[in-house]
Amino acid sequence: VISDRLIKHIDNSGIAGIEELQLDIELGKPELQININRESARRYGISTAQIGSAIRTSVFGKEVSKYKVGEDEYPIVVRLDEKFRNNIGSLMNQKITFRNPINGRLVQVPISSVASIEYSTTYNAIRRINSERVITISSNILKGYNANEINADLQNLMEDYDLPVGYNYAFTGEQQQQSEDTAFLNNAFLIALFCIFIILVTQFNSIISPFIIIISVLFSTIGVLIGYVLTGQEFSILMSGVGLISLAGIVVNNAIVLVDYINLLIKNKRESLGFEDMSDLDRADVLKCIITGGATRLRPVLLTAITTVLGLIPLAIGFNFNFFGFVAEADSFNIKAEMGKHFFLGGDNTAMWGPMGWTIIYGMIFATFLTLVVVPVMYWLAYRAKTRMGRAFSKK
């Protein structure tokens, strides 16, 4: 009854995109209850287990032995004949035979003398989660609508819905799976960033340079979100999350190349002037090293970005080309028709791998701008902050 009321409440709310709400159980299934009179059963010396076993054996049968023919074994099942097991009177009038523990005599007691029947209705199944009974309400999503947006509307709707005491609700299915995937990918992304940061600290023997590189990775995720917003594509939690983790490793390479070369130029400049620390250099010399490093590494960074983006486009758009079939069946007079037979875009694989490809493409395009512009700027700001702090401490 509560589930029916909730379905009517959702239907009347006017939330678009829901095809048809359905329950995972069937209501109103006929049921025959056998109620045991426990006082009568104790008087005859019959247990409820004996009554239940007798009825189960009559209806479903009981394996009592096996019949072997050669190497094959066949079960021997004792069961009432079909005309008797489908007759309620025959089931209730069957006798339970047992030995009386008081006098040792065999006693036969009909089930109808210790039990009665009652007709009712029930569910076709009882489902439980963590030992609690549950009823699941589900629906398909109409084409053109987003499941996350519909779930958000349902959450807002359920905030004002009063459930009876002892009842609660939870969003499961796709929503629950997305939450679990999101938690897993967030942990994986943070662990990946931490491992990258530790490796960079050991290699650069510094905190500032690895920090600048890690910040560029975090900023590259902005490009992913901008790309999805501008193109109107749906964000896949699982594969787009995998793409973000992959993007972190790719973006780091370009930032490492640029920062390491700037450090090399500053080191050479410092050694040529005989200075022991970078803060001793003139600001103009440091700025010139940063500009020179960015100009020198412009081509490697652009080539890395372009080759990565071009290499992922076939995966993102679902480019399929049967080259060997095209060569084997090529007709020099009708090349266009042959191309149509062996070339197509899309497919089932695109729905899975496409989001990962587009995530890396959007992030890589935005990260290229970050590497060439934001990273040198952050390097310059970090240098200025370091020199100011050094001068402040030296005055003290």
Side-chain angles (χ1 to χ4, degrees):
V1 177
I2 297 176
S3 301
D4 292 336
R5 292 176 181 174
L6 182 56
I7 290 177
K8 293 179 181 179
H9 181 67
I10 295 175
D11 290 337
N12 296 331
S13 65
I15 298 177
I18 301 176
E19 182 177 3
E20 182 181 1
L21 293 172
Q22 295 179 345
L23 299 176
D24 64 338
I25 62 173
E26 180 183 346
L27 303 177
K29 184 178 180 181
E31 180 185 50
L32 177 65
Q33 295 182 355
I34 299 178
N35 301 317
I36 300 175
N37 189 330
R38 296 183 180 272
E39 294 183 0
S40 300
R42 283 197 299 268
R43 185 167 55 250
Y44 287 109
I46 304 175
S47 66
T48 55
Q50 289 175 304
I51 300 174
S53 176
I55 295 177
R56 176 176 290 276
T57 301
S58 303
V59 178
F60 301 104
K62 180 180 180 180
E63 183 179 339
V64 295
S65 183
K66 291 184 180 294
Y67 176 70
K68 189 173 183 180
V69 179
E71 298 296 330
D72 299 328
E73 291 185 351
Y74 303 92
I76 300 176
V77 178
V78 177
R79 188 183 186 189
L80 277 182
D81 190 72
E82 185 176 359
K83 63 181 179 180
F84 295 112
R85 67 172 177 265
N86 292 331
N87 188 298
I88 299 176
S90 300
L91 289 175
M92 296 300 296
N93 290 327
Q94 66 174 312
K95 298 179 180 179
I96 300 177
T97 303
F98 63 98
R99 188 175 296 276
N100 194 323
I102 298 176
N103 52 27
R105 295 180 181 179
L106 289 177
V107 181
Q108 290 184 327
V109 178
I111 296 178
S112 58
S113 62
V114 295
S116 60
I117 60 174
E118 179 182 352
Y119 295 95
S120 65
T121 58
T122 184
Y123 312 112
N124 66 329
I126 298 177
R127 308 184 187 279
R128 289 182 173 88
I129 297 178
N130 297 328
S131 302
E132 294 184 356
R133 292 187 178 187
V134 296
I135 296 178
T136 303
I137 302 175
S138 60
S139 169
N140 293 326
I141 303 300
L142 296 176
K143 187 176 180 180
Y145 291 90
N146 186 278
N148 293 326
E149 295 178 355
I150 295 177
N151 283 327
D153 294 337
L154 290 175
Q155 288 179 347
N156 295 331
L157 179 67
M158 292 301 298
E159 290 179 356
D160 300 329
Y161 187 79
D162 295 328
L163 286 173
V165 178
Y167 292 86
N168 53 33
Y169 70 92
F171 287 86
T172 59
E174 183 180 351
Q175 187 74 10
Q176 182 182 15
Q177 185 65 38
Q178 285 186 359
S179 300
E180 295 175 355
D181 294 341
T182 302
F184 170 77
L185 291 171
N186 287 337
N187 293 332
F189 186 69
L190 293 177
I191 292 173
L193 288 181
F194 178 76
C195 293
I196 292 172
F197 184 78
I198 294 299
I199 294 173
L200 292 176
V201 169
T202 57
Q203 293 297 316
F204 282 97
N205 195 22
S206 171
I207 295 295
I208 297 178
S209 297
F211 183 76
I212 294 173
I213 296 172
I214 292 298
I215 289 297
S216 67
V217 174
L218 297 178
F219 282 171
S220 66
T221 59
I222 301 175
V224 176
L225 300 178
I226 293 176
Y228 276 104
V229 170
L230 294 179
T231 58
Q233 293 177 314
E234 293 186 359
F235 188 89
S236 173
I237 297 296
L238 181 59
M239 298 310 297
S240 297
V242 173
L244 283 174
I245 298 174
S246 304
L247 179 64
I250 300 173
V251 172
V252 161
N253 295 333
N254 289 335
I256 289 175
V257 168
L258 180 57
V259 172
D260 184 64
Y261 190 70
I262 293 175
N263 289 338
L264 179 62
L265 292 177
I266 292 176
K267 179 182 177 182
N268 294 336
K269 187 67 175 178
R270 177 173 53 81
E271 291 179 350
S272 64
L273 298 176
F275 295 139
E276 295 182 357
D277 189 53
M278 184 178 68
S279 58
D280 298 331
L281 290 174
D282 187 75
R283 286 192 175 186
D285 293 333
V286 175
L287 183 59
K288 183 178 179 181
C289 291
I290 295 175
I291 296 174
T292 304
T296 305
R297 293 303 180 188
L298 174 64
R299 181 179 298 176
V301 171
L302 289 178
L303 288 176
T304 302
I306 293 172
T307 53
T308 303
V309 170
L310 293 180
L312 287 171
I313 285 179
L315 179 65
I317 64 177
F319 179 84
N320 296 272
F321 180 53
N322 186 0
F323 178 77
F324 295 102
F326 172 74
V327 173
E329 302 177 9
D331 185 357
S332 59
F333 297 100
N334 198 357
I335 296 295
K336 185 176 181 180
E338 292 295 330
M339 284 289 292
K341 291 170 53 179
H342 300 282
F343 165 78
F344 66 93
L345 298 177
D348 296 335
N349 291 333
T350 308
M352 179 177 181
W353 297 105
M356 186 189 76
W358 286 118
T359 298
I360 300 177
I361 290 173
Y362 297 147
M364 198 64 200
I365 295 174
F366 193 77
T368 303
F369 168 78
L370 288 175
T371 304
L372 296 175
V373 179
V374 177
V375 170
V377 171
M378 292 181 62
Y379 194 100
W380 172 245
L381 294 177
Y383 163 74
R384 293 180 60 182
K386 183 179 178 181
T387 54
R388 288 178 181 177
M389 292 177 61
R391 290 173 182 174
F393 282 112
S394 63
K395 290 180 180 180
K396 292 182 180 180

